[in-house]
Amino acid sequence: MSFGAVITDAKGLRLTSDEKALFKEMNPFGFILFARNIETADQTRALCADFREAVGRNCPVTIDQEGGRVQRLRAPMAREWMPPMDHAARAGEQAERAMYLRYRLIAQELLDLGIDSNCAPMVDLARDDTHAFLKNRCYGSDPEQVSAIGRAVANGHLDGGVLPVVKHMPGHGLSTLDSHHDLPHVDQPLETLEEIDFVPFRALNDLPMGMTAHLVYDQIDPQPATISAGMIALIRERIGFDGLIMTDDITMKALNGTPADLTRQALAAGCDVVLHCNGTFDARAQVLQAAGEMSNTAQARADRALAQRLPPQELDIQAAEAELSALMGGQVYAG
């Protein structure tokens, strides 16, 4: 079965009859949840089941559950986490273990609701002038340390039966603008990026899925990375990432064009699957139509990614929480 080359969303708390029919016909690779899709645990499980029933298979359902500001699940359905940067800094030398436990607990929460993917780890490197929308979501500024924490975060997901999505390739930390609203430009030579920003992505190039950055790297290519064949080739060849590459949300204001046109551009550039969020029903249908089925190469990457979606390892939740509390000096959660 060939998947549609799209990850998309739903309007509300359950699928409408029109959404069910569209997804049955077009068979998108997977789906993503937002806060508007989440009301109760039972309702969220039912929506995840709606997605899978519509496409007739155990498709991946992903979410942005980093903790801190970017956290779709909130109390009382999920733990309220401090920002990742604050968490890693507070844990100090124990940051790898503390972040592993954090995301192992997050994975447990997600899988209990039927969500089996998460858009993390985020291994962009923080700078003094990194835009505030991104900065405290980072794990730090040292490439080796961020690589190690990123690996721990990925392992926490995989051990919990949840597919991690490493982001934002090939590095968003140099951005001084919010790509939700503007198109950031990075004026650094390839040599600098190779020595610094690419390091964590290269260290995690074996992960099943990765997400692009909507940034222009001016000294490499004039197009945003998501729709740049040169930048996608760089991710494949210089970073060595051969997992499934998904775009960041193509409705973000950093990109200019209709969703359907951007879909065609991203896939032509070498992305495997397009992430389309927060659009109208008609826009969703147009994106699915423009994307069509995955290429044979993309389909093989998708199959390899899904093969890493294994049953969760056993978790003693109370013991994990106690260990994490000890590592964090008793302050584990937000507030």
Side-chain angles (χ1 to χ4, degrees):
M1 177 186 295
S2 296
F3 305 140
V6 175
I7 296 171
T8 191
D9 56 356
K11 180 180 180 181
L13 299 174
R14 296 292 299 270
L15 292 189
T16 66
S17 58
D18 286 343
E19 287 173 329
K20 289 178 181 179
L22 175 65
F23 298 152
K24 180 178 181 179
E25 177 187 2
M26 303 304 295
N27 190 28
F29 170 64
F31 298 91
I32 187 167
L33 295 175
F34 290 89
R36 70 174 184 275
N37 304 124
I38 297 164
E39 185 175 68
T40 68
D42 285 344
Q43 167 271 319
T44 304
R45 293 185 192 103
L47 177 56
C48 291
D50 282 351
F51 288 137
R52 293 179 173 120
E53 183 179 357
V55 296
R57 58 185 167 84
N58 187 23
C59 63
V61 178
T62 196
I63 197 168
D64 281 299
Q65 190 73 359
E66 298 173 7
R69 286 182 296 108
V70 181
Q71 181 169 337
R72 310 304 184 203
L73 293 169
R74 296 282 179 181
M77 289 177 61
R79 299 168 180 85
E80 294 275 354
W81 299 96
M82 66 180 70
M85 178 174 279
D86 296 347
H87 190 116
R90 185 171 185 84
E93 294 182 358
Q94 302 299 318
E96 289 177 52
R97 181 62 179 169
M99 292 289 273
Y100 170 87
L101 291 167
R102 168 187 171 118
Y103 287 94
R104 180 63 186 86
L105 289 165
I106 286 175
Q108 180 269 334
E109 292 175 333
L110 297 180
L111 200 63
D112 180 62
L113 296 170
I115 303 164
D116 58 6
S117 174
N118 190 19
C119 296
M122 196 194 85
V123 294
D124 304 310
L125 295 172
R127 306 296 211 286
D128 289 341
D129 56 353
T130 299
H131 194 280
F133 101 94
L134 189 82
K135 190 167 185 177
N136 71 355
R137 298 164 57 195
C138 299
Y139 306 156
S141 57
D142 177 79
E144 300 301 332
Q145 179 189 39
V146 170
S147 298
I149 293 174
R151 176 63 66 183
V153 170
N155 288 342
H157 285 92
L158 290 167
D159 289 351
V162 171
L163 288 176
V165 180
V166 61
K167 61 187 185 185
H168 304 84
M169 297 188 299
H172 211 309
L174 285 164
S175 171
T176 59
L177 297 174
D178 181 348
S179 53
H180 291 86
H181 305 292
D182 299 287
L183 176 59
H185 286 251
V186 170
D187 186 24
Q188 292 288 339
L190 178 58
E191 293 76 14
T192 300
L193 297 172
E194 288 261 22
E195 292 172 1
I196 303 175
D197 293 81
F198 293 178
V199 171
F201 295 100
R202 194 176 295 120
L204 301 178
N205 65 12
D206 60 326
L207 291 186
M209 298 173 66
M211 178 185 288
T212 62
H214 296 333
L215 271 71
V216 174
Y217 300 81
D218 286 315
Q219 296 200 34
I220 305 173
D221 193 290
Q223 290 272 40
T226 297
I227 57 174
S228 162
M231 293 304 298
I232 301 301
L234 182 150
I235 291 168
R236 295 295 190 197
E237 296 163 9
R238 298 293 190 104
I239 289 175
F241 187 83
D242 194 35
L244 188 80
I245 293 182
M246 60 187 279
T247 71
D248 204 344
D249 176 16
I250 60 168
T251 68
M252 291 163 62
K253 303 304 182 185
L255 300 182
N256 185 28
T258 68
D261 285 343
L262 290 169
T263 294
R264 286 185 281 264
Q265 291 176 53
L267 295 175
C271 294
D272 297 308
V273 63
V274 169
L275 177 63
H276 176 257
C277 310
N278 303 310
T280 64
F281 177 85
D282 287 343
R284 212 177 292 137
Q286 290 164 17
V287 165
L288 285 160
Q289 187 66 44
E293 293 183 345
M294 286 183 171
S295 68
N296 290 338
T297 302
Q299 182 71 40
R301 292 187 180 117
D303 290 338
R304 289 201 304 270
L306 294 178
Q308 295 190 50
R309 187 178 52 173
L310 300 175
Q313 297 181 11
E314 186 175 346
L315 177 68
D316 184 328
I317 294 175
Q318 287 187 334
E321 289 182 320
E323 181 184 355
L324 182 56
S325 180
L327 293 174
M328 301 288 290
Q331 184 177 342
V332 176
Y333 306 114

